[in-house]
PDB file of all heavy atoms in Angstrom:
ATOM      1  N   GLU A  16      39.348 -21.763 -12.667  1.00 92.00           N
ATOM      2  CA  GLU A  16      38.159 -22.499 -13.057  1.00 92.00           C
ATOM      3  C   GLU A  16      37.431 -23.012 -11.803  1.00 92.00           C
ATOM      4  O   GLU A  16      36.171 -23.024 -11.774  1.00 92.00           O
ATOM      5  CB  GLU A  16      38.521 -23.690 -13.970  1.00 92.00           C
ATOM      6  CG  GLU A  16      38.950 -23.239 -15.374  1.00 92.00           C
ATOM      7  CD  GLU A  16      39.623 -24.307 -16.140  1.00 92.00           C
ATOM      8  OE1 GLU A  16      40.185 -25.265 -15.560  1.00 92.00           O
ATOM      9  OE2 GLU A  16      39.636 -24.202 -17.380  1.00 92.00           O
ATOM     10  N   ARG A  31      15.912 -20.190  -5.967  1.00 93.00           N
ATOM     11  CA  ARG A  31      15.313 -18.852  -5.717  1.00 93.00           C
ATOM     12  C   ARG A  31      15.652 -17.865  -6.810  1.00 93.00           C
ATOM     13  O   ARG A  31      14.941 -16.890  -6.955  1.00 93.00           O
ATOM     14  CB  ARG A  31      15.895 -18.363  -4.370  1.00 93.00           C
ATOM     15  CG  ARG A  31      15.442 -19.175  -3.168  1.00 93.00           C
ATOM     16  CD  ARG A  31      16.023 -18.723  -1.868  1.00 93.00           C
ATOM     17  NE  ARG A  31      15.887 -17.278  -1.712  1.00 93.00           N
ATOM     18  CZ  ARG A  31      16.709 -16.557  -0.960  1.00 93.00           C
ATOM     19  NH1 ARG A  31      17.689 -17.163  -0.306  1.00 93.00           N
ATOM     20  NH2 ARG A  31      16.527 -15.261  -0.835  1.00 93.00           N
ATOM     21  N   GLY A  36      15.836 -16.038 -20.167  1.00 86.00           N
ATOM     22  CA  GLY A  36      16.430 -15.593 -21.413  1.00 86.00           C
ATOM     23  C   GLY A  36      15.728 -16.179 -22.648  1.00 86.00           C
ATOM     24  O   GLY A  36      14.874 -17.035 -22.556  1.00 86.00           O
ATOM     25  N   ARG A  45      25.159 -25.409 -24.655  1.00 92.00           N
ATOM     26  CA  ARG A  45      26.430 -25.138 -25.411  1.00 92.00           C
ATOM     27  C   ARG A  45      27.571 -24.777 -24.417  1.00 92.00           C
ATOM     28  O   ARG A  45      28.670 -25.221 -24.674  1.00 92.00           O
ATOM     29  CB  ARG A  45      26.210 -24.007 -26.422  1.00 92.00           C
ATOM     30  CG  ARG A  45      25.402 -24.406 -27.613  1.00 92.00           C
ATOM     31  CD  ARG A  45      25.221 -23.252 -28.559  1.00 92.00           C
ATOM     32  NE  ARG A  45      24.409 -23.665 -29.673  1.00 92.00           N
ATOM     33  CZ  ARG A  45      23.813 -22.869 -30.509  1.00 92.00           C
ATOM     34  NH1 ARG A  45      23.917 -21.561 -30.299  1.00 92.00           N
ATOM     35  NH2 ARG A  45      23.103 -23.312 -31.498  1.00 92.00           N
ATOM     36  N   GLY A  48      28.704 -27.954 -22.948  1.00 93.00           N
ATOM     37  CA  GLY A  48      29.445 -28.691 -23.932  1.00 93.00           C
ATOM     38  C   GLY A  48      30.827 -28.142 -24.207  1.00 93.00           C
ATOM     39  O   GLY A  48      31.774 -28.902 -24.499  1.00 93.00           O
ATOM     40  N   TYR A  50      32.643 -26.475 -21.946  1.00 93.00           N
ATOM     41  CA  TYR A  50      33.426 -26.573 -20.741  1.00 93.00           C
ATOM     42  C   TYR A  50      32.996 -27.796 -19.884  1.00 93.00           C
ATOM     43  O   TYR A  50      32.496 -27.689 -18.784  1.00 93.00           O
ATOM     44  CB  TYR A  50      33.350 -25.316 -19.902  1.00 93.00           C
ATOM     45  CG  TYR A  50      33.777 -24.093 -20.676  1.00 93.00           C
ATOM     46  CD1 TYR A  50      32.790 -23.271 -21.298  1.00 93.00           C
ATOM     47  CD2 TYR A  50      35.077 -23.744 -20.762  1.00 93.00           C
ATOM     48  CE1 TYR A  50      33.195 -22.142 -22.015  1.00 93.00           C
ATOM     49  CE2 TYR A  50      35.508 -22.637 -21.510  1.00 93.00           C
ATOM     50  CZ  TYR A  50      34.579 -21.839 -22.123  1.00 93.00           C
ATOM     51  OH  TYR A  50      34.920 -20.725 -22.815  1.00 93.00           O
ATOM     52  N   VAL A  53      34.000 -28.213 -16.206  1.00 92.00           N
ATOM     53  CA  VAL A  53      33.574 -27.262 -15.217  1.00 92.00           C
ATOM     54  C   VAL A  53      32.215 -27.754 -14.648  1.00 92.00           C
ATOM     55  O   VAL A  53      31.168 -27.742 -15.351  1.00 92.00           O
ATOM     56  CB  VAL A  53      33.467 -25.845 -15.815  1.00 92.00           C
ATOM     57  CG1 VAL A  53      32.906 -24.852 -14.754  1.00 92.00           C
ATOM     58  CG2 VAL A  53      34.767 -25.386 -16.370  1.00 92.00           C
ATOM     59  N   VAL A  72       1.353 -17.133 -24.313  1.00 69.00           N
ATOM     60  CA  VAL A  72       0.618 -15.911 -24.071  1.00 69.00           C
ATOM     61  C   VAL A  72      -0.010 -15.382 -25.316  1.00 69.00           C
ATOM     62  O   VAL A  72      -1.147 -14.969 -25.324  1.00 69.00           O
ATOM     63  CB  VAL A  72       1.533 -14.862 -23.375  1.00 69.00           C
ATOM     64  CG1 VAL A  72       0.807 -13.495 -23.294  1.00 69.00           C
ATOM     65  CG2 VAL A  72       1.958 -15.307 -22.009  1.00 69.00           C
ATOM     66  N   GLN A  85       8.848 -19.497 -37.167  1.00 67.00           N
ATOM     67  CA  GLN A  85       9.500 -18.292 -37.757  1.00 67.00           C
ATOM     68  C   GLN A  85       9.647 -17.188 -36.734  1.00 67.00           C
ATOM     69  O   GLN A  85      10.669 -16.477 -36.718  1.00 67.00           O
ATOM     70  CB  GLN A  85       8.699 -17.834 -38.988  1.00 67.00           C
ATOM     71  CG  GLN A  85       8.728 -18.776 -40.147  1.00 67.00           C
ATOM     72  CD  GLN A  85       7.763 -18.319 -41.226  1.00 67.00           C
ATOM     73  OE1 GLN A  85       6.925 -17.480 -41.035  1.00 67.00           O
ATOM     74  NE2 GLN A  85       7.895 -18.940 -42.384  1.00 67.00           N
ATOM     75  N   THR A  87       9.465 -17.385 -33.284  1.00 66.00           N
ATOM     76  CA  THR A  87      10.144 -17.691 -32.035  1.00 66.00           C
ATOM     77  C   THR A  87      11.558 -18.264 -32.164  1.00 66.00           C
ATOM     78  O   THR A  87      12.177 -18.591 -31.175  1.00 66.00           O
ATOM     79  CB  THR A  87       9.323 -18.641 -31.165  1.00 66.00           C
ATOM     80  OG1 THR A  87       9.136 -19.849 -31.888  1.00 66.00           O
ATOM     81  CG2 THR A  87       7.986 -18.037 -30.761  1.00 66.00           C
ATOM     82  N   ALA A  94      10.724  -9.745 -31.744  1.00 80.00           N
ATOM     83  CA  ALA A  94      10.551  -8.283 -31.507  1.00 80.00           C
ATOM     84  C   ALA A  94       9.796  -7.659 -32.689  1.00 80.00           C
ATOM     85  O   ALA A  94       8.869  -6.856 -32.484  1.00 80.00           O
ATOM     86  CB  ALA A  94      11.890  -7.625 -31.284  1.00 80.00           C
ATOM     87  N   GLU A  95      10.095  -8.043 -33.864  1.00 81.00           N
ATOM     88  CA  GLU A  95       9.459  -7.526 -35.061  1.00 81.00           C
ATOM     89  C   GLU A  95       7.969  -7.923 -35.060  1.00 81.00           C
ATOM     90  O   GLU A  95       7.086  -7.107 -35.348  1.00 81.00           O
ATOM     91  CB  GLU A  95      10.131  -7.990 -36.312  1.00 81.00           C
ATOM     92  CG  GLU A  95       9.559  -7.373 -37.600  1.00 81.00           C
ATOM     93  CD  GLU A  95      10.351  -7.719 -38.824  1.00 81.00           C
ATOM     94  OE1 GLU A  95      11.228  -8.646 -38.780  1.00 81.00           O
ATOM     95  OE2 GLU A  95      10.121  -7.087 -39.848  1.00 81.00           O
ATOM     96  N   ASN A 103      18.465  -5.088 -33.700  1.00 77.00           N
ATOM     97  CA  ASN A 103      19.801  -5.441 -34.227  1.00 77.00           C
ATOM     98  C   ASN A 103      20.600  -6.054 -33.113  1.00 77.00           C
ATOM     99  O   ASN A 103      20.224  -6.054 -31.979  1.00 77.00           O
ATOM    100  CB  ASN A 103      20.429  -4.214 -34.840  1.00 77.00           C
ATOM    101  CG  ASN A 103      20.778  -3.105 -33.843  1.00 77.00           C
ATOM    102  OD1 ASN A 103      21.179  -3.399 -32.727  1.00 77.00           O
ATOM    103  ND2 ASN A 103      20.592  -1.868 -34.235  1.00 77.00           N
ATOM    104  N   GLU A 105      23.219  -5.174 -31.562  1.00 75.00           N
ATOM    105  CA  GLU A 105      23.641  -4.266 -30.463  1.00 75.00           C
ATOM    106  C   GLU A 105      22.511  -4.125 -29.438  1.00 75.00           C
ATOM    107  O   GLU A 105      22.806  -3.949 -28.243  1.00 75.00           O
ATOM    108  CB  GLU A 105      23.985  -2.869 -31.000  1.00 75.00           C
ATOM    109  CG  GLU A 105      25.237  -2.886 -31.831  1.00 75.00           C
ATOM    110  CD  GLU A 105      25.528  -1.523 -32.407  1.00 75.00           C
ATOM    111  OE1 GLU A 105      24.764  -0.573 -32.219  1.00 75.00           O
ATOM    112  OE2 GLU A 105      26.517  -1.436 -33.139  1.00 75.00           O
ATOM    113  N   GLN A 107      20.401  -6.554 -28.640  1.00 67.00           N
ATOM    114  CA  GLN A 107      20.224  -7.847 -28.032  1.00 67.00           C
ATOM    115  C   GLN A 107      21.226  -8.063 -26.914  1.00 67.00           C
ATOM    116  O   GLN A 107      21.110  -8.751 -26.035  1.00 67.00           O
ATOM    117  CB  GLN A 107      20.274  -8.953 -29.040  1.00 67.00           C
ATOM    118  CG  GLN A 107      19.168  -8.840 -30.064  1.00 67.00           C
ATOM    119  CD  GLN A 107      19.222  -9.919 -31.104  1.00 67.00           C
ATOM    120  OE1 GLN A 107      19.642 -11.059 -30.848  1.00 67.00           O
ATOM    121  NE2 GLN A 107      18.886  -9.609 -32.313  1.00 67.00           N
TER     122      GLN A 107
END
Side-chain angles (χ1 to χ4, degrees):
E16 290 166 336
R31 294 177 49 206
R45 288 181 180 161
Y50 302 97
V53 179
V72 171
Q85 291 172 349
T87 59
E95 185 172 14
N103 64 40
E105 292 176 0
Q107 297 178 34

